[in-house]
């Protein structure tokens, strides 16, 4: 473990750590553009130059390993500062001054560095005009990536990403010297399955994500740590949102699962979180759907649940561990109903972790392993059809998107026999047979944990409170006496996360041990009763510490 | 001197390239002389330029597949070097030295003469596909300036008159 001094701060780091990471640990920031912790070091941008005491030449922070007794000067070295300034002079000689209209502004490494270290009196001796790439200012490089070659600082991060991480090696430098530019082979579309990561790693606005361009200024966004709902790999993400609208997903660093990457499929699920077709609880009366209050709905549903013979509950691997646990305890144990979690095969997805290993997933649910570990009855489409073939009684469908079978004519036929209550968010054929239709909130306003395919229990936080509320009173919040104040932003309506509805139902059904105030409490109970969660603590889950700022690391990713 | 014209393979051959036995043998021979397949990329591309006349996207794909590199990488390498032709060349590529020694010894006059005679500038081809004018940097034959490299051969100590004779000879040799 080498011990070194950086700008007067002593720090001990693991062997082979480079100076940039050692300085980060010491609380000193060494600027960089081409360095990325999960890509090979090329030492191309030269902005990370630092002075090492006793060495005549300046050293590169990215390519110099920390060794014992090294005395490094970053901010305190006039020589290093001068060298970095010279590098900036060359970079800015050709970089357009279009920050006001550049979508990267606010999360641009070049802009940040310029603001941090550039002198106000910065001048240049260069007399040449700015180099431009006519025709390459607004070019669609692939389905998700827009290229502006004028802004490129030739760091080669995107190229290294396609070579080393996604392994398509689709991007390359073409030409040489001053006219070097980024392109694909023979002008083909850049349709890498992780293509948007190339824009993530781009330190400037040369590559931007088409879907997010000009939707929101980066500094207006709040980032909430969450888990990608796209498949069972469970990539760590930030939900970037503003005024109760989700604008994008960005990868959140987790070396064991997704390093700093995210596949395009998962990333572009972000928009689907804003969909909210069903706004209020509805009840079928004389063939028509009538709006109901939540309190009324829960009281009536509790009565129906008590009387239901038999009671069938279709849960879903899209639900959090807490919600599945509540469903199991409440409907399974307390009411002695039957539970099933349908799983369908989905498209193969894969993700590369920090060690360079590929993780694979074949099912499109974020919590299929969680459902299994909770000991729930996992069924396939055929099993689901048998499960629903019970005739009369009451069927609860906790998630309309649990299985494609539920949207088919056969399922609707089976469900018409008895009574049905369905939780859903988006347009779904089940609305036609539901006796009770309850609006579900999206992942963005839910809170809980998912168990990833590798068995890691990961927590996701609520980005904003459910639509229609500006505050949330945990226990009893669903009762008629609790007023809700409509929010001026975000989707209207009264959709609620399932855990809140289930705890309210528990209260109504006389299961006070399940009338818990938050997913955290549910988790604590679950950790006491279920072996799969034994020893886990909510606060310490999955590297998610809400007090820690991920912004800086997010830049990297 | 018998400068041989460049032969450009047909459109079909350069769009979907399959290496024949001779090419495979030559590539295998090149690969033996280099420590890694990536190191052999330049000579293999050179073989392809000799065989097909220019480096088409089809050739790039075939080379990339043969050497286990990505097509984008190979295209990046091809675009780095000016001596790989990325469009079909004329039969005779006139590479006029534009560096100091040749320039002061009459190279500029040669360029003016060629531009007037053939009606083309640097980087252009005559409409009949006979000649292509390219400005290049020092050819390393300053002692016999001015120099023009035509395809693979050097023509030295040139004057406009000598050059006319060379061009007429080449043109007649169709």
């Amino acid at each position: 473990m080498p011990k070194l001094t950086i700008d007067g701060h002593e720090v001990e780091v693991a062997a082979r750590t480079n100076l940039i990471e050692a300085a980060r640990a010491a609380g000193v920031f060494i600027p960089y553009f081409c360095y990325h912790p999960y890509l090979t070091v090329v030492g191309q941008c030269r902005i990370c130059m630092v002075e090492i005491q006793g060495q005549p030449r300046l050293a590169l922070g990215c390519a110099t390993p920390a060794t014992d007794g090294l005395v490094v000067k970053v901010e305190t070295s006039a020589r290093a500062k001068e060298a970095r300034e010279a590098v900036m002079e060359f970079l800015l000689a050709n970089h357009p001054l279009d920050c006001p209209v550049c979508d990267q502004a606010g999360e641009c490494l070049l802009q940040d560095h310029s603001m941090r270290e550039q002198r106000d009196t910065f001048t240049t001796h260069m007399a040449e005009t700015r180099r431009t790439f006519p025709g390459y200012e607004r070019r669609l490089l692939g389905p998700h990536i827009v290229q502006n070659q004028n802004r490129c600082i030739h760091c080669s991060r995107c190229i290294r990403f396609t070579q080393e991480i996604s392994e398509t090696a689709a991007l390359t430098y073409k030409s040489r010297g001053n006219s070097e530019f980024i392109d694909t082979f023979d002008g083909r579309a850049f349709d890498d399955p992780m293509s948007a990561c190339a824009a993530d790693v781009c330190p400037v606005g040369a590559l931007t994500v088409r879907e997010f361009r000009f939707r929101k200024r980066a500094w207006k966004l709040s980032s909430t740590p969450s888990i990608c709902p796209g498949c069972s790999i469970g990539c760590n993400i930030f939900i970037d949102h503003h005024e109760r609208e989700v604008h994008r997903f960005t990868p959140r660093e987790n070396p064991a699962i997704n390093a700093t990457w995210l596949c395009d499929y998962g990333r572009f699920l972000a928009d689907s979180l804003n969909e909210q077709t069903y706004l209020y609880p509805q009840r079928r009366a004389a063939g028509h759907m009538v709006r109901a209050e939540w309190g009324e709905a829960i009281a009536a549903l509790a009565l129906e649940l008590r009387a239901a013979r038999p009671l069938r509950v279709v849960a879903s691997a899209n639900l959090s561990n807490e919600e599945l646990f509540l469903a199991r305890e409440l409907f399974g144990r307390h009411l002695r109903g039957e539970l099933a979690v349908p799983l369908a095969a989905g498209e193969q997805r894969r993700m590369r972790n920090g060690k360079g290993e590929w993780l694979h997933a074949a099912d499109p649910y974020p919590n299929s392993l969680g459902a299994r570990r909770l000991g729930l009855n996992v069924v396939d489409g055929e099993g689901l059809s048998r499960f629903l073939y019970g005739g009369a009684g009451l069927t609860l469908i906790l998630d309309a998107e649990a299985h494609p079978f539920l949207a088919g004519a056969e399922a609707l036929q089976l469900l018409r026999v008895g009574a049905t209550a369905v939780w859903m968010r988006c347009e779904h054929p089940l609305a036609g047979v539901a006796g009770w239709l309850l609006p579900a909130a999206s992942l963005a306003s839910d809170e809980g944990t998912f168990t990833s395919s590798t068995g890691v229990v990961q927590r996701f936080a609520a980005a904003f409170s459910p639509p229609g509320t500006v505050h949330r009173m945990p226990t009893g919040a669903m009762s008629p006496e609790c007023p809700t104040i409509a929010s001026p932003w975000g989707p209207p309506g009264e959709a609620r996360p399932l855990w809140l509805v289930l705890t309210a139902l528990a209260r109504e059904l006389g299961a006070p041990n399940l009338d818990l105030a938050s997913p955290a409490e549910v988790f604590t109970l679950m950790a006491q009763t279920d072996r799969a969660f034994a020893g886990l603590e909510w606060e310490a889950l999955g590297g998610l510490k809400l007090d820690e700022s991920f912004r800086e690391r997010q830049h990297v990713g | 001197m018998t400068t041989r014209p460049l032969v450009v393979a047909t459109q079909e051959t350069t769009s979907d390239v399959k290496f024949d036995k001779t090419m495979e043998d030559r590539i295998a021979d090149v690969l033996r002389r280099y420590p890694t397949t990536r190191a052999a990329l330049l000579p293999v591309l050179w073989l392809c330029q000799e065989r097909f006349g220019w480096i088409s996207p089809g050739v790039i794909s075939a080379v990339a597949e043969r050497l286990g590199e990505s097509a984008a990488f190979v295209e990046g390498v091809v675009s780095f070097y000016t001596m790989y032709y990325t469009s079909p060349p004329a039969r005779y590529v006139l590479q006029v030295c534009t560096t100091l020694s040749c320039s002061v010894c009459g190279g500029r006059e040669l360029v003016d003469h060629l531009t007037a005679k053939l009606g083309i500038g640097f980087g252009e081809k005559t409409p009949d596909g006979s000649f292509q004018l390219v400005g290049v940097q020092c050819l390393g034959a300053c002692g016999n300036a001015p120099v023009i490299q035509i395809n693979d051969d050097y023509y030295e100590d040139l004057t406009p008159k000598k050059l006319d004779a060379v061009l007429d000879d080449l043109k007649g040799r169709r």
Side-chain angles (χ1 to χ4, degrees), chain A residues 131 133 154 172-182, chain B residues 75-84 135-137:
Chain A
R131 166 202 55 194
F133 294 85
H154 300 91
T172 188
Y173 279 141
K174 282 198 191 159
S175 187
R176 64 179 172 188
N178 209 31
S179 50
E180 195 167 60
F181 64 101
I182 304 287
Chain B
E75 199 184 17
V77 170
V78 170
S79 71
F80 184 92
Y81 295 100
T82 53
M83 286 166 82
Y84 293 121
V136 297
Q137 301 304 319

Side-chain angles (χ1 to χ4, degrees), chain A residues 163 168-177 180 183-188, chain B residues 38 56-58 60-61 70-77 79-82:
Chain A
Q163 286 176 349
T168 56
L171 295 180
T172 188
Y173 279 141
K174 282 198 191 159
S175 187
R176 64 179 172 188
E180 195 167 60
D183 202 6
T184 54
F185 168 59
D186 199 21
R188 292 196 186 151
Chain B
R38 180 171 279 198
S56 67
I60 291 176
S61 296
S70 83
F73 175 79
V74 176
E75 199 184 17
V77 170
S79 71
F80 184 92
Y81 295 100
T82 53

Side-chain angles (χ1 to χ4, degrees), chain B:
Chain B
M1 204 184 304
T2 50
T3 296
R4 290 176 38 216
L6 297 180
V7 182
V8 173
T10 57
Q11 181 82 40
E12 295 76 51
T13 337
T14 48
S15 60
D16 184 21
V17 174
K18 299 253 179 333
F19 295 137
D20 54 15
K21 175 83 171 57
T22 330
M23 274 299 276
E24 278 297 345
D25 286 349
R26 295 179 74 183
I27 291 171
D29 187 48
V30 165
L31 282 171
R32 259 195 295 279
R33 287 185 274 131
Y34 289 88
T36 61
T37 48
R38 180 171 279 198
L41 178 55
L42 294 182
V44 168
L45 284 170
W46 199 246
L47 285 180
C48 290
Q49 181 152 306
E50 269 175 29
R51 166 70 182 77
F52 300 103
W54 63 295
I55 308 291
S56 67
V59 171
I60 291 176
S61 296
V63 170
E65 198 179 320
R66 178 67 185 81
L67 299 184
E69 297 288 348
S70 83
F73 175 79
V74 176
E75 199 184 17
V77 170
V78 170
S79 71
F80 184 92
Y81 295 100
T82 53
M83 286 166 82
Y84 293 121
Y85 301 137
T86 49
S87 59
R91 283 198 300 281
Y92 297 101
V93 181
L94 313 174
Q95 299 152 70
V96 190
C97 176
T98 56
T99 315
L100 184 75
S101 313
C102 285
S103 281
V104 297
C105 293
R108 283 188 195 147
E109 286 76 16
L110 288 184
V111 173
D112 291 343
H113 180 69
L114 282 173
T115 313
K117 185 182 163 81
L118 302 174
I120 52 174
F122 281 143
E124 291 173 358
K125 278 195 283 189
T126 52
D128 65 346
S130 300
F131 297 110
Q132 182 174 356
L133 189 57
V134 180
V136 297
Q137 301 304 319
C138 186
L139 292 168
C142 308
N144 302 80
V147 180
I148 295 185
Q149 185 187 348
I150 302 179
N151 295 353
D152 289 337
D153 300 319
Y154 276 24
Y155 289 79
E156 299 170 337
D157 297 317
L158 286 172
T159 60
K161 206 170 162 196
K162 280 193 197 167
L163 185 59
D164 277 347
V166 171
L167 292 188
D168 289 345
D169 178 39
L170 291 177
K171 195 157 184 165
R173 238 196 278 138
R174 267 178 184 279

Side-chain angles (χ1 to χ4, degrees), chain A residues 37 55 57 79 109 122 182 213 277 285 291 319 326 329 331-332 508 555:
Chain A
Q55 290 187 8
R57 290 184 58 185
R79 266 174 70 213
L109 293 187
F122 174 76
I182 304 287
R213 263 166 78 87
T277 313
R291 182 174 161 180
L319 305 179
L326 283 171
E329 295 297 306
F331 304 129
E508 207 68 29
H555 258 13

Side-chain angles (χ1 to χ4, degrees), chain A residues 316-336:
Chain A
S316 158
N318 291 323
L319 305 179
S320 71
N321 286 320
E322 291 71 20
E323 289 162 345
L324 288 172
F325 172 81
L326 283 171
R328 187 190 75 183
E329 295 297 306
L330 188 62
F331 304 129
R333 298 251 164 94
H334 187 69
L335 295 175
R336 312 225 164 265

Side-chain angles (χ1 to χ4, degrees), chain A residues 6-264:
Chain A
I6 302 173
D7 271 356
H9 303 271
E10 218 169 81
V11 67
E12 194 172 348
V13 292
R16 298 164 60 133
T17 310
N18 67 13
L19 290 185
I20 289 181
E21 295 298 335
R24 209 198 289 280
V28 177
F29 183 71
I30 297 179
Y32 54 83
F33 301 135
C34 74
Y35 167 72
H36 187 288
Y38 293 97
L39 298 175
T40 50
V41 169
V42 289
Q44 217 165 285
C45 73
R46 321 302 291 184
I47 199 72
C48 63
M49 281 196 285
V50 294
E51 187 180 337
I52 296 173
Q53 204 171 331
Q55 290 187 8
R57 290 184 58 185
L58 297 175
L60 286 179
C62 62
T64 312
T67 45
D68 214 24
L70 224 54
V71 179
V72 182
K73 290 180 181 172
V74 186
E75 299 289 331
T76 48
S77 160
R79 266 174 70 213
K81 273 190 123 157
E82 194 187 343
R84 290 200 296 266
E85 210 160 90
V87 171
M88 278 303 271
E89 183 178 351
F90 277 98
L91 286 177
L92 295 180
N94 280 319
H95 193 82
L97 280 175
D98 62 351
C99 301
V101 295
C102 175
D103 215 34
Q104 188 82 4
E107 47 184 3
C108 169
L109 293 187
L110 192 70
Q111 189 188 35
D112 288 357
H113 180 66
S114 171
M115 295 301 289
R116 198 186 309 111
E117 219 172 87
Q118 210 77 29
R119 280 183 289 113
D120 292 345
T121 53
F122 174 76
T123 49
T124 178
H125 305 288
M126 294 183 196
E128 294 93 336
T129 48
R130 220 172 274 284
R131 166 202 55 194
T132 55
F133 294 85
Y136 287 78
E137 297 100 339
R138 236 169 265 101
R139 191 168 72 127
L140 209 51
L141 202 56
H144 304 298
I145 297 294
V146 180
Q147 179 192 24
N148 183 336
Q149 185 56 35
N150 290 351
R151 295 179 186 149
C152 179
I153 59 167
H154 300 91
C155 70
S156 83
R157 269 184 175 191
C158 57
I159 297 177
R160 278 176 286 147
F161 170 79
T162 62
Q163 286 176 349
E164 295 162 16
I165 306 298
S166 70
E167 286 179 341
T168 56
L171 295 180
T172 188
Y173 279 141
K174 282 198 191 159
S175 187
R176 64 179 172 188
N178 209 31
S179 50
E180 195 167 60
F181 64 101
I182 304 287
D183 202 6
T184 54
F185 168 59
D186 199 21
R188 292 196 186 151
F190 176 49
D191 55 357
D192 191 302
M194 292 202 263
S195 68
C197 286
D200 274 350
V201 296
C202 182
V204 290
L207 302 181
T208 44
V209 179
R210 183 192 188 188
E211 280 78 353
F212 179 68
R213 263 166 78 87
F214 307 124
R215 270 187 68 163
K216 214 43 136 179
R217 280 312 208 170
W219 56 85
K220 293 211 167 193
L221 293 170
S222 309
S223 297
T224 303
S226 189
I227 304 297
C228 174
C231 74
S232 59
I233 293 175
C235 295
N236 292 206
I237 58 164
F238 281 109
I239 295 180
D240 284 356
H241 56 99
H242 181 60
E243 291 177 347
R244 288 162 179 259
E245 194 182 345
V246 175
H247 288 291
R248 65 174 176 184
F249 286 170
T250 41
R252 175 163 58 92
E253 188 181 7
N254 184 339
I257 293 178
N258 60 321
T260 52
W261 321 122
L262 191 59
C263 75
D264 286 352

